[in-house]
Amino acid sequence: MTFVDTKALNSRRRPGHIPPRLWRPRPSFNTWLMAALLVLIPSLAAHAQTSTIQFLPEVDAHLKLQSNIRFVFQAKDTREGGNPTEAEVGPSIDFYLKPLVKLRETSAFELDDAKSRPLVLSIGYRYVPSPGKAPVDRMEPVVIFHFPTKGRILVSDRNRADLDWSTSRNFTWRYRNRLTLERRVTIHSYHPVPYASAEVFYESQYKKWSTTALYAGCLFPIGKHVQFDPYYEHQNNTGKRPNEQLNQFGLALNLYF
């Protein structure tokens, strides 16, 4: 730092001569950058508290008992409706109507023969343990409608209720409606099925539509009994404050026998 003798300058001042400016600290680019970071850090921290990235594995085994009855056993990790990460384990029984010709054409090469039925009824039980809480006993009644549309697009409308009992809280319930659009793609002799879904949740504990979820994935059949379902899910939970954003990557293994 250099100090200027103003008296000496004044004594040597000549007409038309402009003395050098006195030293003054000026805000630099780094100063403004640090100020911006100080402003942004609190908002980034708040966003980090309400945004989560997770991986959710799942296994579903399907055993056909009769032409219109199927046994299903499921084990998976899940985080839905603002709840913490939980496991779900338990069986279901599916009941079908007779298949439709148009649905058979739309769902050709599909390992899941339920997609050729216009109506599927299911009743299931799930044991739901979660860390730090009493486990939940859940009943899952489900009604699924399948509709064939132009362009070989299959539309599925799933209506599901989660009826929860637990020793640590009163009875709660959740209604979920999921709309799915999928279309089989033919690559030589291989037939993957990309799909997109949207789901809404009504939570009894919040007394409102508190959660929305968007899905995108693809079904990859392997042989006659195995199918992989990798997917991405974006979930927005508004039941609690602050709102919570979940970005979830899932991988489901579906087995058909």
Side-chain angles (χ1 to χ4, degrees):
M1 183 182 297
T2 303
F3 296 92
V4 180
D5 189 347
T6 57
K7 293 183 178 180
L9 287 173
N10 291 334
S11 63
R12 295 196 297 269
R13 182 176 298 174
R14 299 187 301 274
H17 175 74
I18 301 176
R21 293 182 179 179
L22 301 180
W23 180 86
R24 294 179 183 176
R26 292 188 178 183
S28 64
F29 174 78
N30 291 337
T31 304
W32 289 114
L33 180 61
M34 290 299 297
L37 288 175
L38 290 175
V39 173
L40 289 175
I41 284 174
S43 62
L44 291 174
H47 178 74
Q49 292 175 358
T50 58
S51 181
T52 305
I53 298 177
Q54 294 180 313
F55 173 70
L56 303 175
E58 178 179 343
V59 177
D60 297 284
H62 307 75
L63 177 61
K64 197 169 184 178
L65 303 178
Q66 298 180 13
S67 60
N68 60 344
I69 302 177
R70 180 173 68 179
F71 173 81
V72 181
F73 188 85
Q74 182 183 78
K76 69 176 183 177
D77 280 349
T78 182
R79 186 175 182 184
E80 298 170 328
N83 293 332
T85 303
E86 302 171 325
E88 285 190 23
V89 181
S92 298
I93 295 291
D94 296 344
F95 302 92
Y96 308 151
L97 288 184
K98 292 182 178 180
L100 292 179
V101 174
K102 289 187 178 180
L103 281 174
R104 276 185 170 176
E105 295 174 353
T106 304
S107 61
F109 304 102
E110 174 62 58
L111 298 184
D112 185 1
D113 63 347
K115 292 182 179 179
S116 65
R117 318 295 177 110
L119 176 64
V120 179
L121 303 176
S122 177
I123 184 67
Y125 165 79
R126 297 292 184 271
Y127 177 74
V128 187
S130 57
K133 294 183 179 180
V136 172
D137 295 298
R138 172 175 296 169
M139 296 298 296
E140 287 187 0
V142 180
V143 179
I144 304 175
F145 300 95
H146 294 120
F147 307 96
T149 63
K150 293 183 179 179
R152 295 184 300 174
I153 297 175
L154 176 64
V155 178
S156 302
D157 181 19
R158 187 185 74 176
N159 299 268
R160 169 179 158 183
D162 296 343
L163 312 177
D164 294 350
W165 289 266
S166 173
T167 57
S168 64
R169 63 183 182 182
N170 296 328
F171 167 76
T172 58
W173 59 271
R174 173 192 299 145
Y175 168 71
R176 309 167 53 165
N177 180 262
R178 178 171 175 173
L179 188 67
T180 302
L181 280 72
E182 61 183 70
R183 186 184 186 279
R184 174 175 48 88
V185 177
T186 300
I187 305 174
H188 298 292
S189 60
Y190 191 63
H191 306 281
V193 183
Y195 67 88
S197 300
E199 187 171 21
V200 292
F201 298 64
Y202 184 92
E203 303 273 351
S204 66
Q205 56 185 324
Y206 305 126
K207 298 181 180 180
K208 65 176 183 178
W209 297 94
S210 63
T211 301
T212 57
L214 301 176
Y215 307 80
C218 189
L219 304 176
F220 294 98
I222 307 295
K224 297 182 179 180
H225 303 287
V226 179
Q227 181 175 261
F228 287 97
D229 178 12
Y231 65 89
Y232 165 75
E233 175 185 355
H234 176 76
Q235 193 175 136
N236 181 35
N237 299 317
T238 62
K240 300 177 182 178
R241 293 188 177 182
N243 294 353
E244 185 176 38
Q245 304 284 332
L246 300 179
N247 296 296
Q248 300 170 326
F249 295 90
L251 178 60
L253 170 62
N254 298 311
L255 305 173
Y256 297 94
F257 303 99

